[in-house]
Amino acid sequence: MVDIVVITGGGRGIGAASARLLAGRGYGVCLSWTSQREAAEAVVADCVALEVPATAVRADVASDSDVAALFAAAAELGTVAGLVNNAGIVAPPRRVEELTRERVLRLLDVNVAGAFACAAEAVRRMSTARGGAGGAIVNVSSRAAVLGGPGEYVDYAASKAALDALTVGLAKEVAAEGIRVNGVRPGLIRTDIHASGGQPGRVERMQDGVPMGRGGEAHEVAEAVAWLLSDAASYVTGATLDVSGGR
Ligand code: NAP
């Protein structure tokens, strides 16, 4: 059976780059999408062209039934051996005193509770203590978890700090069950997420402040994701790798 990696939000940006890279390395991929079906299907077509099994499922990570359906679709393709907890949202720039409870809860629901739900499904399927064959999880955090997102989105930064805690705690919880759990913290990466948060051109505006003097590309994050998922990282767990050009 082919090893399948579930990639939430795999139709665009970092998730799509990860899907294409992993497919090129022989993994089957099961992507989720919520709003951009065609984008996800284009990624699936690219993966199938690389002769691996691939599918895309409409699944909101904030819905437990959607998450269950996503993993069931993955299991139809092969052995679920990996999860990239990539789906994430930002919101328009606001100071903390302007944040509403509704906005904060939505960010936590998608970025944190969604990642927990997917991690739980992955562990239930991969844990050797439950008859699984082991596997690896990579959580896509953000440098914002450390930098704090002042004046923009401290709520988003806090959601990513929670994800970093999930990485550390879950890594220890399942280390003896054949599952490694790691994270990546991207810096300023050129994807649609900035426009979705009302800040098109954010990377160009801020890239002079990056020590390497440029924004990053999705494939540069995907390389770190793929390494952490792979056997080359066999003794790495509970780690979070910054992919941020020094930011
Ligand atoms: P993106 O291009 O906006 O892609 C986000 C993806 O998440 C899309 O595929 C989207 O699906 C999916 N998604 C959104 N809400 C979802 C939900 N409720 N359930 C399931 N999927 C959902 O963003 P990106 O930059 O690649 O971001 C990927 C991850 O990297 C995020 O966790 C983000 O926080 C993190 N990150 C990005 C940067 C950066 O500078 N780009 C920096 C640090 C961290 P649809 O395509 O169907 O809409």
Side-chain angles (χ1 to χ4, degrees), residues 8-15 32-37 39 59-62 85-90 106 110-111 140-144 156 160 163 185-194 196 202-203 218:
T8 61
R12 291 191 288 143
I14 292 166
S32 75
W33 58 274
T34 48
S35 67
Q36 305 276 329
R37 178 183 199 147
D60 183 341
V61 295
N85 253 330
N86 167 76
I89 53 171
V90 294
R106 176 67 185 157
V110 174
N111 294 1
V140 182
S141 174
S142 170
R143 275 301 287 163
Y156 169 79
K160 294 300 189 178
L163 197 55
R185 282 194 210 98
L188 286 170
I189 310 299
R190 235 177 290 281
T191 71
D192 298 341
I193 202 168
H194 310 287
S196 77
R202 180 172 178 268
V203 175

Side-chain angles (χ1 to χ4, degrees), residues 8 18 39-40 59 69 80 105 170 200 204 217:
T8 61
S18 300
V80 177
L105 289 177
L170 182 61
E204 291 68 26
E217 303 298 335

Side-chain angles (χ1 to χ4, degrees), residues 4 23 27-31 43-48 52-56 77:
I4 306 299
Y27 296 90
V29 294
C30 180
L31 320 177
V43 175
V44 166
D46 288 348
C47 295
V48 169
V52 297
T55 192
L77 294 182

Side-chain angles (χ1 to χ4, degrees), residues 169-232:
L170 182 61
K172 292 175 180 171
E173 200 165 286
V174 298
E177 299 172 23
I179 303 174
R180 294 181 300 101
V181 185
N182 293 290
V184 293
R185 282 194 210 98
L188 286 170
I189 310 299
R190 235 177 290 281
T191 71
D192 298 341
I193 202 168
H194 310 287
S196 77
Q199 299 196 74
R202 180 172 178 268
V203 175
E204 291 68 26
R205 196 175 74 244
M206 296 176 69
Q207 65 187 358
D208 287 350
V210 176
M212 284 181 69
R214 65 173 179 88
E217 303 298 335
H219 71 83
E220 297 182 286
V221 182
E223 290 284 351
V225 170
W227 180 73
L228 287 167
L229 278 178
S230 77
D231 287 344

